[in-house]
Amino acid sequence: MILILSRESAEITTDVVIDWLDHYQIAYFRLNGEDLVNGKCLVDFYIDPAKSKWVFKIIYEDISIHSDTIKAVWFRRSFDWDIETRFWNSTTCIDEYKFLQELNNYHQMEIRTVYNHIERVLDDRYWLSRPSKSGSNKFRTLEIAKQIGFNIPDSIITNNLPGLKKFVNSHKNCITKPSRDGTLIQGNDFGISTMTNAVDKDILATDAKDFFTPSFFQSEIKKDYEIRVIYLENQIFSVGIFSQANEKTKLDYRNYDTKNPNRLQLIDLPKEVLHNIKELMSHLQLNFGSIDIIKDVYGGYYFLEINPVGQFLGISNILGLGIERTIATILKEKYEFKSI
């Protein structure tokens, strides 16, 4: 049995890999994280008296799966978004709002602790990505990348306005990005992007405060093009993303322009860049990741960041890379090897 840890909404990537597992006639079970709290799945963890070790059993309709039968695990996603507001009601009372906020935060910590226990129970099985490795620590990753030999943009984390002004003035252009994953914070009729944004020097000049929340800033690299690298068990798929011809995607290609999409092209990376990618993934103990790199106008390559559970399906489909089939094949091979 292959266990797939995913979520229900916005996860077509899981669906297409499952299509290939069906094609290979490999037994699998998909556990969407939210199914642990919406009644669709029953799960029992207990310490096996004979082994003195935790085991678990999942019951879904007429299916019963014991952890001992699981030979390989693919971690794709954890929970759907509604898990974060499971105990939420509309309220205008500030005290009730604070209580509900704390209740939901507590609930999230509890369910995630139990959910992550799946990894602990199945620690000796094959894992393609792991929950414990799914968080992107940009600061640690940049440090390791620099030590390995990657070029990286000049980077600072600061809450010091005079220090930030000095940093910005020492570079022609600077950007700011979130310390973790970028997102869009939406109100009723407005939104705030937390993806990569240019630092506005005019705002810095007029801001009266000398401090702010510690934030992440980098020098802006003058791009020839961006590169998305998909790393999968020592295989490297490198795709050039020609984002500079479009003002919407010039700063960050993830500001997608669906009407005028960026041109994509398979590219060959220099041997030293390929070596650095493999070294970095080895240091981080990752067997999958989506890696962002910039090729600058002078021919240099700059490492930006890694998403350990990043997207790949769009690129795979457009360029016919078949990454989803490769994932299913790897899971099939690990399942068959463990079953011998």
Side-chain angles (χ1 to χ4, degrees):
M1 175 70 67
I2 294 172
L3 178 63
I4 299 172
L5 301 176
S6 189
R7 68 184 185 202
E8 186 170 353
S9 298
E11 241 318 292
I12 190 173
T13 302
T14 306
D15 299 337
V16 295
V17 171
I18 282 176
D19 287 343
W20 280 108
L21 291 176
D22 286 333
H23 171 75
Y24 291 138
Q25 298 183 327
I26 299 296
Y28 64 85
F29 179 78
R30 175 176 179 169
L31 176 63
N32 295 320
E34 61 271 20
D35 290 349
L36 295 175
V37 296
N38 62 17
K40 290 185 178 179
C41 282
L42 302 179
V43 61
D44 292 314
F45 289 87
Y46 58 95
I47 296 179
D48 187 302
K51 300 178 180 179
S52 297
K53 293 177 63 177
W54 283 100
V55 295
F56 64 82
K57 182 170 64 175
I58 298 172
I59 301 173
Y60 176 78
E61 296 180 349
D62 59 345
I63 300 171
S64 179
I65 300 164
H66 193 282
S67 55
D68 285 351
T69 67
I70 296 169
K71 309 302 180 184
V73 189
W74 178 35
F75 172 74
R76 176 59 194 159
R77 291 282 191 253
S78 54
F79 297 98
D80 222 335
W81 296 285
D82 61 1
I83 193 88
E84 300 176 1
T85 56
R86 185 162 182 253
F87 300 108
W88 197 261
N89 295 310
S90 297
T91 179
T92 57
C93 173
I94 188 64
D95 288 337
E96 184 178 0
Y97 175 87
K98 289 180 178 179
F99 170 77
L100 291 172
Q101 189 176 43
E102 290 187 18
L103 178 63
N104 277 282
N105 289 339
Y106 175 78
H107 173 254
Q108 285 182 62
M109 289 189 293
E110 285 289 292
I111 187 61
R112 288 182 187 278
T113 299
V114 174
Y115 179 88
N116 290 338
H117 193 46
I118 294 173
E119 181 179 352
R120 173 69 182 83
V121 174
L122 301 176
D123 186 59
D124 61 343
R125 319 301 155 83
Y126 172 78
W127 283 79
L128 181 58
S129 299
R130 286 173 174 259
S132 61
K133 300 289 184 179
S134 62
S136 176
N137 188 328
K138 292 183 182 180
F139 306 147
R140 175 174 177 262
T141 303
L142 277 173
E143 182 179 62
I144 296 173
K146 181 67 174 177
Q147 292 169 356
I148 286 172
F150 266 117
N151 295 321
I152 65 169
D154 289 343
S155 306
I156 64 168
I157 307 159
T158 185
N159 68 342
N160 173 7
L161 184 59
L164 175 59
K165 288 179 177 178
K166 183 178 179 180
F167 179 79
V168 171
N169 289 335
S170 67
H171 299 86
K172 187 174 181 180
N173 294 295
C174 292
I175 58 94
T176 182
K177 60 172 65 173
S179 301
R180 294 181 64 84
D181 297 329
T183 188
L184 179 65
I185 303 171
Q186 290 185 302
N188 291 331
D189 57 357
F190 66 94
I192 300 173
S193 170
T194 66
M195 299 179 72
T196 302
N197 289 281
V199 175
D200 190 324
K201 293 182 180 179
D202 292 336
I203 292 177
L204 291 183
T206 58
D207 200 320
K209 293 182 179 180
D210 287 339
F211 65 93
F212 48 89
T213 301
S215 303
F216 182 32
F217 301 90
Q218 290 184 310
S219 58
E220 184 179 346
I221 305 302
K222 194 171 183 180
K223 302 172 187 174
D224 184 8
Y225 54 85
E226 300 182 56
I227 302 167
R228 168 56 65 93
V229 174
I230 306 300
Y231 179 95
L232 174 58
E233 284 289 15
N234 218 35
Q235 300 179 66
I236 294 176
F237 305 85
S238 307
V239 177
I241 303 171
F242 295 86
S243 57
Q244 300 307 288
N246 187 324
E247 286 299 322
K248 185 176 181 180
T249 61
K250 202 168 187 177
L251 192 65
D252 188 336
Y253 78 89
R254 291 170 295 184
N255 294 313
Y256 302 112
D257 188 340
T258 55
K259 293 183 178 179
N260 299 291
N262 295 148
R263 180 167 65 90
L264 305 179
Q265 180 180 314
L266 285 174
I267 61 168
D268 293 322
L269 291 172
K271 289 182 180 180
E272 60 269 24
V273 176
L274 294 172
H275 171 77
N276 288 343
I277 290 171
K278 292 179 179 180
E279 282 289 304
L280 181 59
M281 297 302 280
S282 177
H283 272 75
L284 297 174
Q285 298 180 315
L286 296 174
N287 57 4
F288 175 85
S290 297
I291 304 167
D292 289 330
I293 294 174
I294 287 175
K295 184 181 181 184
D296 73 5
V297 294
Y298 307 106
Y301 292 83
Y302 284 78
F303 170 85
L304 297 183
E305 59 188 80
I306 293 175
N307 185 341
V309 289
Q311 297 289 359
F312 62 85
L313 188 59
I315 286 175
S316 180
N317 284 341
I318 291 170
L319 296 177
L321 302 180
I323 296 173
E324 59 279 9
R325 182 176 186 173
T326 303
I327 288 175
T329 301
I330 290 171
L331 293 171
K332 172 180 176 290
E333 291 172 350
K334 298 299 182 180
Y335 165 80
E336 291 174 341
F337 176 78
K338 287 285 188 178
S339 298
I340 295 175

